[in-house]
Amino acid sequence: MTTIQNSEWSKFHLKSFKLNKFPKYPNEIILKTLFGDYTKHNIKLGAKSRVLDIGCGFGNNLIPFIDKDCGSFGIEIDNRICNLTKKILKNKYLNKKITIKVGHNRLIPFKKNFFDLVLTNTLHYEESLEDFKKSINEIKRVLKKKKYFFLTITANKHDFFQKTKKISKNIYLNTNKQDEIRYGKKFFFIENEKGLKKLLLSHFKKVVTGRVTEIINKNCFDIYLALCIK
């Protein structure tokens, strides 16, 4: 992202915080996938585990891992967002060790083989297949062997996807004028679950994929998800 986009996202986060309109609880899909039995993988996390949320936003998806006394880490694209996230989490967890740093998918400010679990809900913001692969390689770098990477990306029925225009293979232009931050920007989309699994299997030992679609009052939330093992 550009410096201008970073600033726009920071303004969005600060405004959301002031209006008290920001997520305060972890994503249900993350809870069901990582703590349920959907994938048949028993992911054991505890005080010696380290978890990273890439694009951690307001820190809500770190909450279940903080509660498990995991080493909880997050990265965001701008220092103002990081400071806001620290403030929110420290107010709730005074004595917990939480680390929030500036970074992004392709530049994770931690050493290799550091994390037991990496998760992200932002990988669909990449602009090309090359950027997507760079993100995956950077995630693999910081992930321990035989440990886990969880991601969600926008699927093709999602409202966000519908307000785009395809300009080349897997590349779409955001045509939603109401989206002040992303209007006119190009995004890389994986168009089906099979394609997502094939791409991830070229990087990881095992991959489990799925899809979640919710339609409420003609509004559609549609994502692909994947749990990968290095």
Side-chain angles (χ1 to χ4, degrees):
M1 287 190 179
T2 65
T3 302
I4 293 175
Q5 285 176 282
N6 289 2
S7 179
E8 290 172 337
W9 276 116
S10 294
K11 290 176 182 178
F12 167 78
H13 277 76
L14 291 169
K15 182 180 179 181
S16 299
F17 178 70
K18 289 178 180 178
L19 294 174
N20 198 33
K21 292 183 177 181
F22 62 93
K24 302 174 180 64
Y25 305 101
N27 182 289
E28 184 180 3
I29 296 167
I30 291 175
L31 295 178
K32 287 182 175 180
T33 306
L34 299 182
F35 297 103
D37 59 359
Y38 282 3
T39 65
K40 308 301 180 184
H41 288 283
N42 185 15
I43 302 176
K44 295 180 179 179
L45 297 168
K48 294 184 179 180
S49 305
R50 299 190 189 106
V51 177
L52 172 67
D53 184 4
I54 300 174
C56 62
F58 298 98
N60 53 299
N61 289 327
L62 284 173
I63 289 174
F65 307 105
I66 298 170
D67 285 339
K68 282 182 168 288
D69 292 322
C70 299
S72 299
F73 300 77
I75 59 173
E76 261 296 349
I77 58 173
D78 188 273
N79 194 53
R80 287 165 292 183
I81 302 176
C82 292
N83 290 336
L84 178 61
T85 305
K86 291 176 188 176
K87 179 179 179 179
I88 292 170
L89 293 177
K90 290 296 183 182
N91 283 342
K92 189 169 185 177
Y93 299 98
L94 293 175
N95 299 316
K96 300 285 188 177
K97 187 176 180 181
I98 303 165
T99 303
I100 309 295
K101 291 186 176 184
V102 174
H104 56 78
N105 288 332
R106 299 186 301 281
L107 186 61
I108 301 174
F110 296 99
K111 63 184 180 181
K112 66 179 181 180
N113 304 320
F114 192 71
F115 292 104
D116 298 275
L117 170 67
V118 177
L119 60 104
T120 181
N121 286 308
T122 61
L123 211 55
H124 58 287
Y125 293 147
E126 301 302 333
E127 296 182 0
S128 66
L129 176 59
E130 182 181 35
D131 283 347
F132 187 96
K133 289 181 177 180
K134 286 179 180 178
S135 298
I136 295 297
N137 285 328
E138 179 67 347
I139 289 163
K140 284 175 60 183
R141 181 186 68 82
V142 300
L143 190 64
K144 295 177 183 177
K145 189 176 181 180
K146 296 184 179 180
K147 296 302 181 179
Y148 300 91
F149 169 49
F150 175 81
L151 78 154
T152 65
I153 62 172
T154 305
N156 60 12
K157 292 182 180 179
H158 197 291
D159 287 342
F160 179 84
F161 193 97
Q162 298 304 316
K163 295 176 182 178
T164 61
K165 179 181 179 181
K166 187 172 183 177
I167 56 177
S168 61
K169 184 179 180 180
N170 296 108
I171 304 298
Y172 291 75
L173 182 72
N174 186 328
T175 58
N176 182 8
K177 293 183 178 180
Q178 294 180 337
D179 188 339
E180 297 178 358
I181 298 177
R182 296 171 293 196
Y183 172 67
K185 305 292 191 304
K186 292 188 297 183
F187 295 93
F188 170 78
F189 282 103
I190 298 174
E191 297 172 343
N192 55 67
E193 186 181 337
K194 184 178 179 180
L196 173 63
K197 187 168 188 175
K198 181 180 179 181
L199 180 56
L200 291 173
L201 277 173
S202 66
H203 294 272
F204 292 94
K205 184 178 180 180
K206 293 182 180 180
V207 176
V208 178
T209 60
R211 184 173 189 166
V212 177
T213 305
E214 299 175 350
I215 301 174
I216 303 173
N217 194 28
K218 297 183 180 181
N219 297 307
C220 184
F221 172 81
D222 187 31
I223 65 161
Y224 302 124
L225 61 90
L227 180 65
C228 311
I229 302 174
K230 181 177 174 180

